[in-house]
Amino acid sequence: MDAAEVQKKVYEMVEKMQGKKKLKPKDISNALEAEGATKEEVKAALRELIDGGKLVYSYFGGTAVEIPHTEGSANPQS
Amino acid sequence: MADKPKRITDIGAPHFSKFLPPVIAKNYGKWKYHEVIDKGTMKHVSETGDELYTVRIATPRLVSTDYVREMCAYADKFSGGHLRWTTRHNVEFFPAKDQVEPLKTALKKDGHLVGGIGYGISNVVHTQGWIHCHTPATDASGVVKAVMDELHEYFTTKTLPARVRIALACCLNMCGAVHCSDIAILGIHRKPPKVNEATIANQCEIPTTIASCPTGAIAPNPAAKSVKIKEERCMYCGNCYTMCPSLPLADAHGDGISIYVGGKVSNARGVPRMSKLAIPFLPNNPPRWPEVVQAVKHIVEVYAKDARKHERMGEWIERIGWERFFKLTGIPFTYQHIDDFTFARDTFRMTPTFKWE
Amino acid sequence: MSKDGKTPMLDDLEKGAWPSFVKEIKKAAVKSNTAKDLLNILERSYRDKVTHWKHGGIVGVLGYGGGVIGRYCDLPEEYPGVAHFHTVRINQPAGNYYTSNALRELMDIWDKYGSGLTNMHGSTGDLVLLGTQTDKLEAIFAETTAKGWDLGGSGSCLRTPSCCVGNSRCEFSNIDSMEICDTLTHKFQDELHRPAFPYKFKIKVSGCANDCTAAIARADMSIIGTWRDDIRIDQAEVKNCSKDMDIKTEVCDMCPTHCMSWDGSTLKINNKDCTRCMHCINRMPKALRPGKEKGATIMLGGKAPIVTGALMSWVIVPFMKLEKPFDNIEDLIRKLWEWWDEHGKNRERIGELVDRMGMRSMLESTGLPPVPQMVKAPRSNPYVFWSPEDVK
Ligand code: HEM
Ligand code: HEM
Ligand code: HEM
Ligand code: SF4
Ligand code: SF4
Ligand code: SF4
Ligand code: SF4
């Protein structure tokens, strides 16, 4: 799969699940491997998106990948 | 953007060779033997004949940058600018032979406790507590301070039959891995999280919150855009509060401290073993936690009186039997002492051979 | 905080012989509002008997999945200085040796951007800088990396490896624990900073069975130095020792394998029976030394209780020579990670996976042969699983 396409798919997958399920790098990799991408391609796409700030790692007991947003704890008035 | 400096990443820790005192760099891997000179001083002798002196002091673990600078100043004056921290939060200096006494005198004059080597109580490995963590059932630094104010002589002068390692973790996540200590002080919660109905809809993602519970104790409450806790399933791990700040676990009355004893990590003589429950619950009474201090002190004193030389707490208890441990310490035996979790059966006595007390 | 900013409960902890963390917070509070409000909110916790921190899960530096622990307080209006109170984990140098110059550089950076409070060190081993705000993190990262330091691990990744002093100051050491720790840290930078594992993985290295890093209790992979040949005895020194101790009761009788004897002039060890527990060597370091054929026992699976109960590591390789560049241990670790990655569930530590899948699955996938050193005893239950190949 071409690198831009993998990145697009990764991003869309995270976007779709945001707030519903914390996706681990492994979940993303499994899903895209099923669509024909390789492990290495997914890893490279994740790294590109994360180094570019479009996605971030989060940690709530386990590590997940999310779109940057303000989390509940950082949000005093609600 | 173009002239932004390139970010440096993935360089790892600096190599330790930058920091070694010359005598260590020269004799690396050539040490022949060591002598414990007193509770705060060791001498290591190399095959080359070189000698290395080590002087150790206790730190409070949580320190200011000025404290670190003070340590640096001792290092500059007495130790060639070199120092190290031990895994139990002590600081060590490496003075030349003729600087050992001047260094110790200076340290003691400034109120530092020199000691921690050999058979006694070294510094207490502990976690963050109310200083920094979100799931503690007690404070860490304060309890340690209160306990060691009472027991500090075992650090500086008094000896015990063997090493007594004390550790504290402020919840059962046990960042400090206290479960193999001679005496483990463990913060425990006894009540499930409370749902803050006013904030949960705004602060929390309901599906990920439900998924965060390792025991499946959280059920959706769609009508209220909230969740329900199945209380009998909760084992107070705090995972849900990590995910969702509207499920606070802390409770002034429910939270407190339990004491586990008899663990060790060293393989000397007997194999490593986990600490086992001695006291299921003691209340949080800041700032000095008198019940906890008394309990720890009492266990140390009973051990000191009854154990044989070189016998760690756990080896002593195994020799006399838990029946007698409870008798000697006067600690009551309760339902909570009998395991009912995953490895419970291994702890039941499958023989009619036991002691009456 | 009581309205007047007084902290009577904490003040009480300035008294007493043991070094006081309250004094330290107060020292930092002279320079930092963050430290000042830490003192105030801690006094509040002492009164309320509950914590006032919330977990922050999305703070960090660009590109890394760990090294920063997010914290927010639940009363930001009352304690604005600690509205954010994030922690930065700096990867400690192996053995925790420092020079005063290097430490002062770090402390200067921390005074500039943080509370001026630190834990030397955290439980995993990192040098922990305690209390800063989200918008300072990139600057802290840039300045510390410029001085040659990097962040440690947090999250579902390799956590910062740690080790005992080993060869640098301990005659008992059978492996170069500091060099192994440093080498593995550098080989595994990607695994340390970009979490991709089912859960955390810890590596600790102890030079002998005294296990000063508590590797067996606290690490998924515990590397413990040992030897294969005979304990070296200096009989003259044994005689010397006998002046200050009763060698029979304090050494021979406490040997767990009863493989030693002392007739008042010669110490004999039946080395075939010795299990290398270190007791006799600890008692007589001048007279006894580990053998010369040195290496390590590799153990797997140690962890704290969450979720199914605490585990201690068990033997998977009885003896492995560990010499630079340590490719053999790297190779084994990578194979274990592959197996864990393939089968592990979310938040399942590798020891729990062995529990669930059985040792055989792990051994087959890493190519390790079954040997009696791995078990205390063979099974007693007859529910043996046979695979078709076994029965052929
Ligand atoms: C007499 C010989 C011994 C010497 C020279 C010695 C030396 C040391 C040193 C240098 C450390 C600090 C390691 C570090 O910070 O990385 C240490 C720590 C430790 N030692 Fe030993 N040790 C000896 C015997 C033992 C024995 C017999 C035990 C257990 C029964 C033991 C248990 C520990 C433990 C649990 C630690 C970690 C905690 C700490 O830093 O105090 N040691 N030891
Ligand atoms: C008393 C009852 C239960 C106990 C003690 C229990 C215990 C556990 C434990 C310890 C785990 C973690 C496993 C791991 O981390 O590898 C787990 C995971 C899980 N449990 Fe339960 N469980 C219980 C009931 C249930 C029930 C009733 C359900 C479903 C209706 C359930 C669904 C799950 C699922 C889906 C996971 C996997 C979660 C994941 O992979 O993240 N459990 N359970
Ligand atoms: C290789 C596996 C085993 C073999 C070949 C085996 C064989 C036997 C035999 C031949 C008897 C005598 C039966 C009789 O007198 O009628 C017996 C009794 C018994 N076995 Fe096993 N056994 C095995 C494993 C176990 C295990 C794993 C346990 C329990 C942990 C166990 C518990 C018992 C008990 C309690 C009895 C006495 C039963 C009674 O007298 O009512 N056995 N076994
Ligand atoms: S032991 Fe528990 S409460 Fe204490 S610092 Fe660790 S996770 Fe937090
Ligand atoms: S504290 Fe732990 S066990 Fe209890 S509801 Fe929360 S996640 Fe579940
Ligand atoms: S583990 Fe062994 S080799 Fe390492 S410092 Fe401790 S006693 Fe020495
Ligand atoms: S090392 Fe342990 S088992 Fe070996 S001879 Fe010494 S005391 Fe005995």
Side-chain angles (χ1 to χ4, degrees), chain C residues 316-342:
Chain C
I316 61 166
V317 183
F319 189 81
M320 187 185 255
K321 276 234 175 284
L322 287 182
E323 276 151 16
K324 266 190 196 168
F326 309 112
D327 289 343
N328 53 350
I329 185 75
E330 176 188 4
D331 186 52
L332 174 63
I333 293 172
R334 289 202 188 276
K335 279 187 190 151
L336 286 165
W337 284 344
E338 239 167 72
W339 175 74
W340 182 37
D341 193 45
E342 185 173 338

Short mmCIF file of all heavy atoms in Angstrom, two decimals, chain C residues 316-342:
data_model
loop_
_atom_site.label_atom_id
_atom_site.label_comp_id
_atom_site.label_asym_id
_atom_site.label_seq_id
_atom_site.Cartn_x
_atom_site.Cartn_y
_atom_site.Cartn_z
N ILE C 316 14.15 -19.07 32.74
CA ILE C 316 13.93 -19.55 31.38
C ILE C 316 15.25 -19.93 30.69
O ILE C 316 15.25 -20.73 29.77
CB ILE C 316 13.12 -18.57 30.51
CG1 ILE C 316 13.83 -17.23 30.36
CG2 ILE C 316 11.71 -18.38 31.07
CD1 ILE C 316 13.23 -16.37 29.25
N VAL C 317 16.36 -19.32 31.13
CA VAL C 317 17.68 -19.75 30.64
C VAL C 317 18.59 -19.90 31.86
O VAL C 317 18.91 -18.91 32.51
CB VAL C 317 18.30 -18.72 29.67
CG1 VAL C 317 19.64 -19.24 29.13
CG2 VAL C 317 17.37 -18.38 28.53
N PRO C 318 18.99 -21.13 32.20
CA PRO C 318 19.79 -21.31 33.41
C PRO C 318 21.14 -20.58 33.35
O PRO C 318 21.59 -20.03 34.35
CB PRO C 318 20.01 -22.82 33.48
CG PRO C 318 18.94 -23.41 32.63
CD PRO C 318 18.61 -22.41 31.57
N PHE C 319 21.77 -20.57 32.18
CA PHE C 319 23.08 -19.92 32.10
C PHE C 319 23.29 -19.34 30.72
O PHE C 319 23.10 -20.02 29.72
CB PHE C 319 24.19 -20.93 32.39
CG PHE C 319 25.55 -20.29 32.54
CD1 PHE C 319 25.93 -19.68 33.72
CD2 PHE C 319 26.46 -20.28 31.47
CE1 PHE C 319 27.18 -19.07 33.86
CE2 PHE C 319 27.71 -19.68 31.60
CZ PHE C 319 28.07 -19.08 32.81
N MET C 320 23.66 -18.08 30.68
CA MET C 320 23.95 -17.42 29.41
C MET C 320 25.19 -16.57 29.61
O MET C 320 25.25 -15.80 30.56
CB MET C 320 22.75 -16.55 29.01
CG MET C 320 22.85 -15.95 27.62
SD MET C 320 21.46 -14.82 27.31
CE MET C 320 20.47 -15.79 26.22
N LYS C 321 26.17 -16.75 28.74
CA LYS C 321 27.34 -15.86 28.81
C LYS C 321 26.91 -14.50 28.32
O LYS C 321 26.23 -14.39 27.31
CB LYS C 321 28.45 -16.40 27.90
CG LYS C 321 29.31 -17.46 28.54
CD LYS C 321 30.79 -17.04 28.44
CE LYS C 321 31.72 -17.98 29.17
NZ LYS C 321 31.72 -17.83 30.62
N LEU C 322 27.28 -13.46 29.03
CA LEU C 322 26.88 -12.13 28.59
C LEU C 322 28.11 -11.27 28.38
O LEU C 322 28.72 -10.80 29.34
CB LEU C 322 25.94 -11.48 29.61
CG LEU C 322 24.53 -12.05 29.66
CD1 LEU C 322 23.68 -11.29 30.67
CD2 LEU C 322 23.85 -12.01 28.30
N GLU C 323 28.48 -11.15 27.12
CA GLU C 323 29.64 -10.32 26.80
C GLU C 323 29.30 -9.36 25.68
O GLU C 323 28.42 -9.64 24.87
CB GLU C 323 30.81 -11.23 26.40
CG GLU C 323 31.57 -11.73 27.62
CD GLU C 323 32.22 -13.09 27.42
OE1 GLU C 323 32.34 -13.51 26.25
OE2 GLU C 323 32.60 -13.71 28.41
N LYS C 324 29.99 -8.25 25.64
CA LYS C 324 29.78 -7.25 24.59
C LYS C 324 29.81 -7.93 23.23
O LYS C 324 30.64 -8.79 23.03
CB LYS C 324 30.91 -6.20 24.65
CG LYS C 324 30.57 -4.99 25.47
CD LYS C 324 31.66 -3.94 25.24
CE LYS C 324 31.60 -2.87 26.33
NZ LYS C 324 32.74 -2.00 26.35
N PRO C 325 28.97 -7.57 22.31
CA PRO C 325 27.95 -6.51 22.36
C PRO C 325 26.58 -6.98 22.84
O PRO C 325 25.59 -6.32 22.59
CB PRO C 325 27.88 -6.05 20.91
CG PRO C 325 28.20 -7.29 20.11
CD PRO C 325 29.09 -8.14 20.95
N PHE C 326 26.52 -8.10 23.55
CA PHE C 326 25.29 -8.59 24.18
C PHE C 326 24.18 -8.91 23.16
O PHE C 326 23.00 -8.74 23.44
CB PHE C 326 24.77 -7.58 25.22
CG PHE C 326 25.81 -7.16 26.21
CD1 PHE C 326 26.29 -5.85 26.22
CD2 PHE C 326 26.34 -8.06 27.11
CE1 PHE C 326 27.27 -5.46 27.13
CE2 PHE C 326 27.31 -7.68 28.03
CZ PHE C 326 27.78 -6.37 28.03
N ASP C 327 24.58 -9.36 21.96
CA ASP C 327 23.57 -9.67 20.94
C ASP C 327 22.69 -10.85 21.35
O ASP C 327 21.52 -10.91 20.96
CB ASP C 327 24.25 -10.00 19.59
CG ASP C 327 24.85 -8.76 18.96
OD1 ASP C 327 24.47 -7.65 19.39
OD2 ASP C 327 25.70 -8.88 18.07
N ASN C 328 23.25 -11.81 22.12
CA ASN C 328 22.44 -12.98 22.47
C ASN C 328 21.24 -12.61 23.32
O ASN C 328 20.13 -13.08 23.09
CB ASN C 328 23.31 -14.07 23.14
CG ASN C 328 24.11 -13.53 24.31
OD1 ASN C 328 24.18 -12.33 24.55
ND2 ASN C 328 24.74 -14.44 25.06
N ILE C 329 21.42 -11.71 24.28
CA ILE C 329 20.28 -11.35 25.13
C ILE C 329 19.31 -10.45 24.35
O ILE C 329 18.09 -10.56 24.48
CB ILE C 329 20.74 -10.71 26.47
CG1 ILE C 329 19.56 -10.45 27.40
CG2 ILE C 329 21.52 -9.45 26.29
CD1 ILE C 329 19.02 -11.66 28.05
N GLU C 330 19.84 -9.59 23.49
CA GLU C 330 18.98 -8.76 22.65
C GLU C 330 18.07 -9.64 21.79
O GLU C 330 16.85 -9.44 21.71
CB GLU C 330 19.80 -7.85 21.73
CG GLU C 330 18.91 -7.06 20.77
CD GLU C 330 19.67 -6.29 19.69
OE1 GLU C 330 20.91 -6.41 19.61
OE2 GLU C 330 19.00 -5.60 18.91
N ASP C 331 18.69 -10.66 21.19
CA ASP C 331 17.96 -11.57 20.33
C ASP C 331 16.84 -12.28 21.09
O ASP C 331 15.70 -12.37 20.62
CB ASP C 331 18.99 -12.57 19.78
CG ASP C 331 18.39 -13.48 18.75
OD1 ASP C 331 17.79 -12.95 17.82
OD2 ASP C 331 18.52 -14.72 18.92
N LEU C 332 17.16 -12.76 22.30
CA LEU C 332 16.15 -13.45 23.10
C LEU C 332 15.00 -12.50 23.45
O LEU C 332 13.83 -12.85 23.36
CB LEU C 332 16.79 -14.02 24.37
CG LEU C 332 15.81 -14.65 25.36
CD1 LEU C 332 15.11 -15.84 24.75
CD2 LEU C 332 16.52 -15.05 26.66
N ILE C 333 15.36 -11.29 23.85
CA ILE C 333 14.31 -10.33 24.24
C ILE C 333 13.40 -10.03 23.05
O ILE C 333 12.18 -10.01 23.17
CB ILE C 333 14.94 -9.04 24.82
CG1 ILE C 333 15.65 -9.34 26.14
CG2 ILE C 333 13.87 -7.96 25.02
CD1 ILE C 333 16.46 -8.18 26.71
N ARG C 334 14.00 -9.84 21.89
CA ARG C 334 13.17 -9.55 20.70
C ARG C 334 12.23 -10.71 20.37
O ARG C 334 11.08 -10.52 20.00
CB ARG C 334 14.05 -9.20 19.50
CG ARG C 334 14.73 -7.84 19.64
CD ARG C 334 15.15 -7.26 18.30
NE ARG C 334 15.97 -6.06 18.47
CZ ARG C 334 15.49 -4.83 18.66
NH1 ARG C 334 14.17 -4.64 18.68
NH2 ARG C 334 16.29 -3.81 18.83
N LYS C 335 12.73 -11.94 20.51
CA LYS C 335 11.86 -13.09 20.25
C LYS C 335 10.71 -13.15 21.26
O LYS C 335 9.57 -13.46 20.90
CB LYS C 335 12.68 -14.38 20.35
CG LYS C 335 13.47 -14.69 19.09
CD LYS C 335 14.09 -16.07 19.22
CE LYS C 335 15.09 -16.32 18.12
NZ LYS C 335 16.14 -17.26 18.58
N LEU C 336 11.01 -12.87 22.50
CA LEU C 336 9.96 -12.88 23.52
C LEU C 336 8.91 -11.81 23.22
O LEU C 336 7.71 -12.06 23.35
CB LEU C 336 10.55 -12.64 24.91
CG LEU C 336 11.31 -13.81 25.52
CD1 LEU C 336 12.15 -13.34 26.70
CD2 LEU C 336 10.35 -14.91 25.97
N TRP C 337 9.38 -10.64 22.82
CA TRP C 337 8.43 -9.57 22.49
C TRP C 337 7.54 -9.97 21.33
O TRP C 337 6.35 -9.67 21.31
CB TRP C 337 9.20 -8.28 22.14
CG TRP C 337 9.74 -7.57 23.34
CD1 TRP C 337 9.38 -7.78 24.64
CD2 TRP C 337 10.75 -6.55 23.36
NE1 TRP C 337 10.11 -6.94 25.47
CE2 TRP C 337 10.95 -6.18 24.71
CE3 TRP C 337 11.49 -5.91 22.38
CZ2 TRP C 337 11.85 -5.19 25.10
CZ3 TRP C 337 12.40 -4.92 22.76
CH2 TRP C 337 12.58 -4.57 24.11
N GLU C 338 8.13 -10.65 20.34
CA GLU C 338 7.34 -11.07 19.19
C GLU C 338 6.21 -12.01 19.62
O GLU C 338 5.07 -11.90 19.20
CB GLU C 338 8.23 -11.81 18.19
CG GLU C 338 8.29 -11.17 16.82
CD GLU C 338 9.42 -11.78 16.01
OE1 GLU C 338 9.27 -12.95 15.61
OE2 GLU C 338 10.45 -11.10 15.82
N TRP C 339 6.57 -12.96 20.49
CA TRP C 339 5.58 -13.93 20.96
C TRP C 339 4.48 -13.23 21.76
O TRP C 339 3.29 -13.48 21.59
CB TRP C 339 6.30 -14.98 21.82
CG TRP C 339 5.37 -15.97 22.47
CD1 TRP C 339 4.71 -17.00 21.87
CD2 TRP C 339 5.00 -16.00 23.85
NE1 TRP C 339 3.96 -17.68 22.79
CE2 TRP C 339 4.12 -17.09 24.02
CE3 TRP C 339 5.34 -15.23 24.97
CZ2 TRP C 339 3.57 -17.42 25.26
CZ3 TRP C 339 4.79 -15.56 26.20
CH2 TRP C 339 3.91 -16.65 26.33
N TRP C 340 4.92 -12.33 22.61
CA TRP C 340 3.98 -11.58 23.46
C TRP C 340 3.08 -10.71 22.59
O TRP C 340 1.86 -10.64 22.78
CB TRP C 340 4.81 -10.74 24.43
CG TRP C 340 4.09 -9.91 25.44
CD1 TRP C 340 2.95 -10.23 26.12
CD2 TRP C 340 4.50 -8.62 25.90
NE1 TRP C 340 2.63 -9.22 27.00
CE2 TRP C 340 3.56 -8.22 26.89
CE3 TRP C 340 5.57 -7.77 25.62
CZ2 TRP C 340 3.66 -7.00 27.56
CZ3 TRP C 340 5.67 -6.56 26.30
CH2 TRP C 340 4.72 -6.18 27.25
N ASP C 341 3.66 -10.05 21.59
CA ASP C 341 2.92 -9.18 20.71
C ASP C 341 1.85 -9.96 19.95
O ASP C 341 0.73 -9.50 19.75
CB ASP C 341 3.91 -8.55 19.71
CG ASP C 341 3.28 -7.39 18.95
OD1 ASP C 341 2.61 -6.58 19.62
OD2 ASP C 341 3.43 -7.32 17.73
N GLU C 342 2.21 -11.20 19.56
CA GLU C 342 1.27 -11.99 18.78
C GLU C 342 0.09 -12.46 19.63
O GLU C 342 -1.04 -12.44 19.20
CB GLU C 342 2.00 -13.17 18.16
CG GLU C 342 1.12 -13.98 17.23
CD GLU C 342 1.93 -15.05 16.51
OE1 GLU C 342 3.18 -14.89 16.40
OE2 GLU C 342 1.34 -16.04 16.08
#
